[in-house]
Amino acid sequence: MNPKINLPLLLVALTAYACSEDSNNETDKLKSELNETIAQIEDLNKKKFTLEVELSKIDSSFRKNELNAVTFVMADTSDFVNFVEVQGNIEADKNVLLNAEMSGVINKILVQEGQHVRKGQTLLYIDTEILNKNIEEVKKSLELAQFVFEKQENLHKQNIGSELQYREAKNNKERLEQTLQTLETQKSKAIVTAPFDGYIEKVMVEEGSMAMPQVPLLRIIDMKKIKIETDVMETYLRTVHKDRKADIYIRALDTTIYDAAITFVGKYINPANRTFRIQIALNNYSERILPNLVALVRIKNEKLKNVLTIPNECILQSNTGKNYVYVIKDENGKHIARKVDIETGPSDDTHTVVLENLKPGDKVVLEGARGIKNGMELTVRK
């Protein structure tokens, strides 16, 4: 008699067996792909190493040749102008704050900011009502004093009356005349006028406000003339003097003014920074140059004729502070670097005067000088 078969259990067993077979096949496939990839990576690493070695050889050879590659300039003679460069500030030659000469209420302001005015033009009025009344009172008193004096004078001429009465009448008249003159002078100061031609830069008061001697009323500027003021180190005191020429560059306007003369040299050394003051006066007819702009001042310090100069980049310095250059010598068909100690003179932003040990026509190494040594063979780049 056959045993009874449990169908559900059989189905579960068959399903598990099938899944196990599929899983094993997938694992074998992934392992195979992994081994192939590892083999490819090893081949690529070998190629990478080979290429890096070859590239290193080429780069090393290139750097070796490049290290000895230089450019040069021919030492030559020319005129050399040495400059002293300083930064200056531009000021208007006439820049004035106008103050009242008497106290009082401002009745009328006749100008506005930005307006051009002429010398003597009335700018504003200060109230003089009280002053006018005082003047009228003094005038009336003066009329009486004048009448009394004339009477006393006639009596005095006739030897009538006393000397004292005559002198009192005369003194009273003269005193009132002086008082009237003083009041009239004060009244004239109630009218504020322009001291020179210029522009009203700022009106600092309003109509109806109180004017007082210590409070500014207006600022007036004359733009026709300007001056540049700057400080120069005391080491240039011997060469920077009046009438020495300077070039002035105003960056904000991209404008250069050439050969402007120094018009003032100070007689005092500032102990704080060891400098002395100079000024350069300029005409500003276009009125484009404004006060407080910054200007670069290049003072022509000295001019040397027919001296040998080389670019500053050529000059190297030893540990002891000695200046030297490399000169290219043609020896046995090769370019050889030769170190030459030099004595230098004045310099500017680009060139330096050489006083000794170089001559016109010498090939002085320019680019590449820091990477070579004395006696080294060079490759000259064009």
Side-chain angles (χ1 to χ4, degrees), residues 80 213 219:
F80 179 83
R219 180 185 293 276

Side-chain angles (χ1 to χ4, degrees), residues 18-28:
C19 290
S20 176
E21 286 295 322
D22 291 341
S23 176
N24 289 336
N25 291 337
E26 184 68 22
T27 300
D28 292 341

Side-chain angles (χ1 to χ4, degrees), residues 79-193:
D79 292 344
F80 179 83
V81 179
N82 185 28
F83 290 91
V84 177
E85 288 194 353
V86 289
Q87 184 172 289
N89 187 59
I90 297 175
E91 300 177 3
D93 188 49
K94 295 177 181 178
N95 184 353
V96 176
L97 283 172
L98 297 182
N99 288 52
E101 295 186 72
M102 62 171 289
S103 298
V105 176
I106 298 173
N107 274 349
K108 187 69 175 177
I109 299 175
L110 303 177
V111 293
Q112 57 186 358
E113 294 177 357
Q115 181 177 336
H116 185 267
V117 296
R118 297 291 183 182
K119 180 179 180 180
Q121 181 176 336
T122 301
L123 306 179
L124 61 80
Y125 292 105
I126 296 175
D127 181 68
T128 58
E129 183 178 356
I130 296 176
L131 200 58
N132 290 336
K133 290 180 179 180
N134 290 337
I135 290 173
E136 290 301 321
E137 290 177 3
V138 172
K139 284 182 176 180
K140 290 180 180 179
S141 298
L142 180 58
E143 289 179 4
L144 177 59
Q146 180 70 33
F147 175 76
V148 172
F149 170 71
E150 290 175 355
K151 293 298 182 181
Q152 288 294 331
E153 187 178 32
N154 291 331
L155 294 174
H156 184 263
K157 290 179 180 179
Q158 300 174 26
N159 294 322
I160 300 173
S162 66
E163 182 72 17
L164 178 60
Q165 290 175 322
Y166 167 72
R167 291 192 176 276
E168 285 179 345
K170 181 179 180 182
N171 180 70
N172 189 42
K173 178 185 77 77
E174 291 176 349
R175 179 180 58 80
L176 289 172
E177 287 175 342
Q178 186 65 41
T179 300
L180 180 60
Q181 185 178 354
T182 301
L183 291 174
E184 293 287 358
T185 302
Q186 290 179 351
K187 182 179 178 180
S188 67
K189 296 182 183 302
I191 303 174
V192 179
T193 60

Side-chain angles (χ1 to χ4, degrees), residues 34 78 80 183 188 190-191 249 272 283 324 327 330 332 354:
L34 176 62
S78 62
F80 179 83
L183 291 174
S188 67
I191 303 174
Y249 176 64
N283 291 320
Y324 67 93
V327 175
D330 295 327
N332 300 322
V354 178

Side-chain angles (χ1 to χ4, degrees), residues 84-334:
V84 177
E85 288 194 353
V86 289
Q87 184 172 289
N89 187 59
I90 297 175
E91 300 177 3
D93 188 49
K94 295 177 181 178
N95 184 353
V96 176
L97 283 172
L98 297 182
N99 288 52
E101 295 186 72
M102 62 171 289
S103 298
V105 176
I106 298 173
N107 274 349
K108 187 69 175 177
I109 299 175
L110 303 177
V111 293
Q112 57 186 358
E113 294 177 357
Q115 181 177 336
H116 185 267
V117 296
R118 297 291 183 182
K119 180 179 180 180
Q121 181 176 336
T122 301
L123 306 179
L124 61 80
Y125 292 105
I126 296 175
D127 181 68
T128 58
E129 183 178 356
I130 296 176
L131 200 58
N132 290 336
K133 290 180 179 180
N134 290 337
I135 290 173
E136 290 301 321
E137 290 177 3
V138 172
K139 284 182 176 180
K140 290 180 180 179
S141 298
L142 180 58
E143 289 179 4
L144 177 59
Q146 180 70 33
F147 175 76
V148 172
F149 170 71
E150 290 175 355
K151 293 298 182 181
Q152 288 294 331
E153 187 178 32
N154 291 331
L155 294 174
H156 184 263
K157 290 179 180 179
Q158 300 174 26
N159 294 322
I160 300 173
S162 66
E163 182 72 17
L164 178 60
Q165 290 175 322
Y166 167 72
R167 291 192 176 276
E168 285 179 345
K170 181 179 180 182
N171 180 70
N172 189 42
K173 178 185 77 77
E174 291 176 349
R175 179 180 58 80
L176 289 172
E177 287 175 342
Q178 186 65 41
T179 300
L180 180 60
Q181 185 178 354
T182 301
L183 291 174
E184 293 287 358
T185 302
Q186 290 179 351
K187 182 179 178 180
S188 67
K189 296 182 183 302
I191 303 174
V192 179
T193 60
F196 49 80
D197 292 357
Y199 288 90
I200 302 299
E201 177 67 17
K202 183 73 174 176
V203 178
M204 304 173 184
V205 291
E206 297 179 351
E207 292 180 2
S209 60
M210 178 65 70
M212 293 180 287
Q214 67 271 24
V215 178
L217 303 173
L218 312 99
R219 180 185 293 276
I220 180 171
I221 299 177
D222 178 15
M223 298 296 298
K224 296 297 185 183
K225 291 185 180 295
I226 58 173
K227 59 184 177 183
I228 300 172
E229 186 168 307
T230 186
D231 295 327
V232 180
M233 293 298 295
E234 64 179 357
T235 52
Y236 297 107
L237 186 61
R238 180 180 60 85
T239 54
V240 176
H241 51 76
K242 191 175 180 179
D243 296 328
R244 177 73 75 179
K245 301 297 184 181
D247 295 337
I248 299 162
Y249 176 64
I250 304 171
R251 187 183 301 278
L253 300 176
D254 193 22
T255 298
T256 302
I257 302 170
Y258 296 98
D259 293 330
I262 296 174
T263 52
F264 168 82
V265 176
K267 304 300 181 185
Y268 172 76
I269 300 296
N270 186 340
N273 54 16
R274 310 306 305 172
T275 61
F276 61 96
R277 191 165 57 97
I278 68 168
Q279 286 181 359
I280 300 173
L282 298 171
N283 291 320
N284 185 31
Y285 297 126
S286 66
E287 299 183 354
R288 292 180 62 242
I289 304 175
L290 304 181
N292 296 319
L293 282 175
V294 174
L296 178 65
V297 181
R298 301 181 75 233
I299 305 169
K300 297 178 180 179
N301 189 36
E302 55 184 334
K303 184 175 183 178
L304 304 176
K305 291 185 175 294
N306 199 32
V307 292
L308 192 146
T309 62
I310 58 174
N312 295 337
E313 296 92 327
C314 296
I315 302 174
L316 305 174
Q317 196 172 69
S318 66
N319 294 332
T320 59
K322 185 71 175 179
N323 291 330
Y324 67 93
V325 297
Y326 283 108
V327 175
I328 300 174
K329 297 291 186 180
D330 295 327
E331 300 177 7
N332 300 322
K334 299 179 179 179

